Amino acid sequence: MENTNPFIKINPRFQKLIFIVLLILCLTVGITPPIALLLGLVVANVSGHPFLPFNHIAIRYLLQFSVVGLGFGMNVYQAMAIGSTSFLFTVISIISTITIGIIIGKWFMIDKKTVHLISCGTAICGGSAIAAIAPIIKSDEKQTSVALGVIFILNSIALFLFPAIGHWLQLSQQEFGLWCAIAIHDTSSVVGAANKYGAEALAIATTVKLARALWIIPVALLTTITFKNKTSKIKIPYFIGFFIISMLLNTYISPISFIAPTVVVMAKIGLTITLFLIGSGLNFNVLISVGIKPLLHGIILWIFIAIMSLVSIMYFI
């Protein structure tokens, strides 16, 4: 595939060499998820992604592997305690975010389907929610791409912004883990930001985010009714079941403790590569294709859920 960057023309072989070298670099311990994302952005906007058609497939499976692997570092009892305390908060935040998103979309006069995709992506779990909702509302390629573009751009910013704000506000591990699980869109950036903040924040953020992802199912059912589409199938995030199984194994099967740390390390490396691939798909063309109104819609909605959840966590939970 030729270089997709409109400014620099690079020999396809050299383009592949740059990509492979940086990908291998992400396998080393010294490369953190935020740095991997930056390396991906460099690839996208300087040399270009030589394997772009396969990027979304690799991201999906690597992220699922990473999430399941992280389950081997968690305890079922801890997860149940976290889930029970965040349940009501999750319900309120999802309903309010989608409602505010629809209101802002009408105010900006953005088409209904794009608004719904961005709102669901912000409220639940980013690209996964958009992928589940898009077939139900029968959105076209441009509407889906715009929504995904908005989510991925804001995810990239969140990976750097949230840990900085967390340290500035002196948030505890529990507070930060809950906050980023609620206010950051995609699971990849949630895990990346929480991992940078601390082990406890990572456990809390991963558990809450995956529990939140299950809300794709009721939201998808309501979407089917709203858009009057009875033919579309709902995409259920089955990998969450494997995450639960990995926690159960780690909690109740003693021999697992010998391999669990290695699996967790591999999962974190998988996450680092995932963020590199996400960054490598965000070239300048993506920014142009999004458009100012959908991007503003996503930013305002994101600010709303970030501030609402942060205030609630700091003063009411």
Side-chain angles (χ1 to χ4, degrees), residues 237-253:
Y238 292 106
F239 75 96
I240 296 176
F242 290 106
F243 170 78
I244 295 171
I245 291 172
S246 66
M247 281 197 301
L248 289 169
L249 290 173
N250 186 55
T251 304
Y252 297 111
I253 308 299

Side-chain angles (χ1 to χ4, degrees), residues 2-306:
E2 295 183 358
N3 177 29
T4 56
N5 180 39
F7 303 111
I8 301 174
K9 298 298 180 182
I10 295 178
N11 182 286
R13 289 185 179 179
F14 187 55
Q15 182 188 24
K16 291 178 181 178
L17 178 62
I18 292 173
F19 182 87
I20 292 170
V21 168
L22 291 178
L23 183 63
I24 293 173
L25 187 62
C26 289
L27 295 172
T28 61
V29 178
I31 302 299
T32 62
I35 294 175
L37 180 65
L38 278 177
L39 290 175
L41 291 170
V42 170
V43 165
N45 295 284
V46 176
S47 63
H49 194 327
F51 310 106
L52 194 57
F54 307 101
N55 206 47
H56 70 286
I57 299 173
I59 289 171
R60 183 177 66 187
Y61 286 111
L62 263 175
L63 178 59
Q64 291 177 1
F65 160 78
S66 301
V67 168
V68 172
L70 288 173
F72 284 96
M74 299 179 189
N75 184 282
V76 170
Y77 300 108
Q78 180 188 22
M80 290 175 65
I82 295 167
S84 61
T85 56
S86 63
F87 177 80
L88 183 60
F89 188 32
T90 296
V91 174
I92 294 172
S93 63
I94 290 174
I95 293 173
S96 60
T97 301
I98 293 177
T99 303
I100 295 295
I102 293 171
I103 293 171
I104 296 172
K106 287 183 178 179
W107 182 37
F108 281 161
M109 293 184 289
I110 306 171
D111 73 90
K112 183 179 179 181
K113 292 182 179 180
T114 301
V115 166
H116 193 68
L117 290 174
I118 293 174
S119 300
C120 290
T122 304
I124 309 173
C125 55
S128 300
I130 292 172
I133 298 296
I136 295 173
I137 65 175
K138 296 183 178 179
S139 59
D140 59 34
E141 185 177 349
K142 183 179 180 181
Q143 291 166 329
T144 305
S145 297
V146 165
L148 287 171
V150 169
I151 295 300
F152 285 144
I153 290 168
L154 298 182
N155 265 326
S156 302
I157 296 171
L159 192 59
F160 300 96
L161 186 62
F162 271 60
I165 294 175
H167 287 300
W168 179 55
L169 294 175
Q170 296 182 333
L171 297 179
S172 68
Q173 292 281 314
Q174 183 178 1
E175 288 172 336
F176 184 81
L178 184 55
W179 182 44
C180 69
I182 298 291
I184 299 179
H185 312 77
D186 258 4
T187 304
S188 56
S189 290
V190 168
V191 175
N195 183 47
K196 187 177 179 181
Y197 206 79
E200 186 182 350
L202 175 62
I204 292 169
T206 306
T207 303
V208 173
K209 192 63 181 180
L210 293 183
R212 193 179 184 85
L214 291 173
W215 284 89
I216 290 176
I217 300 169
V219 170
L221 290 171
L222 288 172
T223 298
T224 301
I225 296 170
T226 304
F227 284 81
K228 298 178 181 179
N229 183 7
K230 299 179 180 179
T231 59
S232 297
K233 294 182 179 179
I234 298 170
K235 293 183 178 180
I236 301 172
Y238 292 106
F239 75 96
I240 296 176
F242 290 106
F243 170 78
I244 295 171
I245 291 172
S246 66
M247 281 197 301
L248 289 169
L249 290 173
N250 186 55
T251 304
Y252 297 111
I253 308 299
S254 298
I256 293 294
S257 61
F258 293 103
I259 63 167
T262 303
V263 175
V264 171
V265 170
M266 292 175 62
K268 289 182 178 180
I269 292 173
L271 173 68
T272 302
I273 297 173
T274 300
L275 286 163
F276 169 75
L277 294 176
I278 289 173
S280 64
L282 288 174
N283 61 31
F284 191 69
N285 293 329
V286 173
L287 298 174
I288 295 174
S289 66
V290 165
I292 188 65
K293 283 188 176 181
L295 185 57
L296 281 175
H297 174 261
I299 291 172
I300 293 171
L301 191 57
W302 185 40
I303 291 173
F304 162 76
I305 190 173

